[in-house]
Amino acid sequence: MAAPVRVPVEERLFSLVLALLATENGLTKSEILSTVQGYRQRYKTSGDNANLERQFERDKDDIRELGVPLETIQPPGEAVNNQSLRYRIPRGDYELPRDITFSAEETALLGLAGMVWREGTMSTESRRALIKLRALGIEADEPVLAYAPRLRVRDASFEPLNNALERNQVVRFSYLKPGQSEATVREVAPVALFQYQGRWHCSAIEPDTGARKSFLLRRIVSDIAPTGATFPPRDADEGEIALREIEEIWNANTARIRVEPHSDAAMRLRKRRGTREGADNGELLLQFADANLLAEELASYGPEVLVLEPDQLRQAHRSRLAAVLAAHTETEAAHG
Amino acid sequence: MARAKQPLHARDKLAFLLSLVPYLMDHDRVSVQTVADHFGVDAELIRESVRLIAISGIPGETAAYQHDDLFDIAWDDFEDNDQIVLTNMVAIDESPRFSGREAAALIAGLQYLSALPETVDRAALATLMAKLARGASALPTQVAVETAEADATLELVREAVEEERQLQFDYLNSRGELESRRVDPLRVESVDADWYLRGWCHLREAVRTFRIDRIGNPVLTDERISFHAGEVTLPDTLFEGSADDLSVTIDISPAALPLISDYIPAGAKLVPSGDALRTSIRVSHYHGLKRLVAGLPGMVTVVEPEEARQVVADWAAAALARYND
């Protein structure tokens, strides 16, 4: 026999998917390794195929990563062992149902939605989703107005939390609660990642108490470490629940502030979601979910904003400003 | 155990092959260039993929990849005319489903776009998201974005482009100066919760970027626009550096670094300074700097120049003084 032909990785993966789609009853591992393109060239009829078996394990992971439902079945009546396991891709779970179609307008909108992600795995996933969408052959409507929307995912904890929540892993991290100076270690089951007011949050359940907590990703000050424990998958729309909960807090908290007329604060805070005019001229009523975060937001406006109430926000605003002043009036030597 | 990672592109190529096959099945005869345009890839990638598909198939009854068990194409049409005609098909009938994460990425993207005039029909948007979820092979992972209300200014911007009329508005720049501007809208851009309009500014006779939330009293004028999107080259980055920019040395806590990365010029060094990192940022003027630094209290401190420190200190002091009045 001639020297084995080198089969490119994508050809091996493609051949594996085709073979597993075509089989009704599934193929055993040795059937796969001895007959499927890319494996069969390296298969030893009598000998050790450990390397090839490891290759197969990795390929399965890669294929599943693409959303291909590669399943393992144990034929009834046969003894339970590794050799009798069969692999297949059930057609119904693999194929996009025929009644799912997208209009030209919807396709254009999905193109924009995919464009939103420019970094990290979210960008990889949306790019792949758009390739699959194009398989349907729909030509997208050209949008009237050119858009370049972008959601950033720069918090280092985003990717590891996204992995943990997909795998139902309990994780541990250090968290610096807004308004506090010491970080504390948290052990939680992450159930959703959500962006609210431009900031990424993680909604998580405390395994001991069952309580739901929201964490600001920017305040996570350590690596995300899986504890080894897992939690049962949750089938509720956790992202929506988390957003609804924070929205309730937002609606329940109102700040009364005074803004300088014609200032940047007067202009932009009036355009902030939910802002209403107060009783006096120049007074605005703002909604907020977290007094410490609003205090930081308002601090950027300097003397254009005076907080009237609540007192907690007033104090938080003052202390932020005092910190900025102190940091910029100390002499260089005092930084030491 | 460390896992020898397969190059990512093999996985992407597989996704592409699984999508290309059903597309070709739906098109009896199609040119390589048409397919390349549709998928937004190089024609050479299409040719390479078609060659691979044409020799692929299933082991079949004999486990020997017989001719009938393989895809086939009209080779002459392909080699001579750059046309693709599938003449035999195996195993694949339909497009693949989305993975749970793929569907989640698009659903969250759609939620984010809810401020756009294109998505005002909330029922249609909900239907679209439900279709994505149903078209996924697993439950979409939970990534969500706050849905915004439709923005009236964006609606007007869209109208301006549609009717090819200039948009006029009051604009408060970051120096605090209010000016009336007339603009040909070119592109709407965003970064997280901040939305921007990029357009040809007739006052400055140049491309300018405007924060949507600093635009006041926008109206459509009767003046025709001079420039359409595509006629003006827009830089890729929203914040462009300029030769007049001021360089400022700061200390920043590592966690806050992503928040100001737009201001850090390429190649700037990060040097440990106590618990913080010392680096330099570029700003167009100190008016913008004081707002940036005051909005990150305890996280960013200006080190030098002294004048910049003073501007920030004065800004905070003036704000505090209002509490002591």
Side-chain angles (χ1 to χ4, degrees), chain B residues 140-213:
Chain B
T141 43
Q142 291 296 320
V143 179
V145 181
E146 173 187 20
T147 47
E149 293 153 49
D151 187 286
T153 306
L154 289 181
E155 178 63 53
L156 208 60
V157 168
R158 186 185 144 96
E159 242 181 275
V161 172
E162 217 160 16
E163 300 185 14
E164 309 200 317
R165 287 154 70 188
Q166 294 180 14
L167 192 67
Q168 183 174 318
F169 51 82
D170 298 331
Y171 192 71
L172 189 71
N173 67 21
S174 57
R175 285 186 159 89
E177 301 149 356
L178 192 70
E179 282 176 331
S180 179
R181 305 283 191 117
R182 271 188 305 110
V183 168
D184 300 342
L186 298 172
R187 190 156 78 195
V188 168
E189 304 199 6
S190 74
V191 180
D192 298 332
D194 299 326
W195 289 79
Y196 302 86
L197 168 66
R198 299 182 89 174
W200 179 265
C201 174
H202 289 272
L203 183 68
R204 297 276 185 272
E205 297 193 316
V207 171
R208 284 289 183 267
T209 302
F210 305 96
R211 276 190 72 104
I212 297 283
D213 64 359

Side-chain angles (χ1 to χ4, degrees), chain B residues 200-273:
Chain B
W200 179 265
C201 174
H202 289 272
L203 183 68
R204 297 276 185 272
E205 297 193 316
V207 171
R208 284 289 183 267
T209 302
F210 305 96
R211 276 190 72 104
I212 297 283
D213 64 359
R214 282 190 176 134
I215 291 177
N217 309 315
V219 286
L220 284 191
T221 68
D222 290 329
E223 298 282 328
R224 305 281 294 173
I225 57 172
S226 320
F227 295 103
H228 294 86
E231 290 172 354
V232 183
T233 313
L234 296 178
D236 282 340
T237 51
L238 203 46
F239 310 101
E240 311 138 51
S242 131
D244 303 333
D245 279 352
L246 305 165
S247 179
V248 176
T249 305
I250 59 164
D251 278 350
I252 180 162
S253 69
L257 209 50
L259 306 179
I260 61 147
S261 54
D262 287 329
Y263 299 91
I264 302 179
K269 286 201 175 67
L270 292 167
V271 182
S273 163

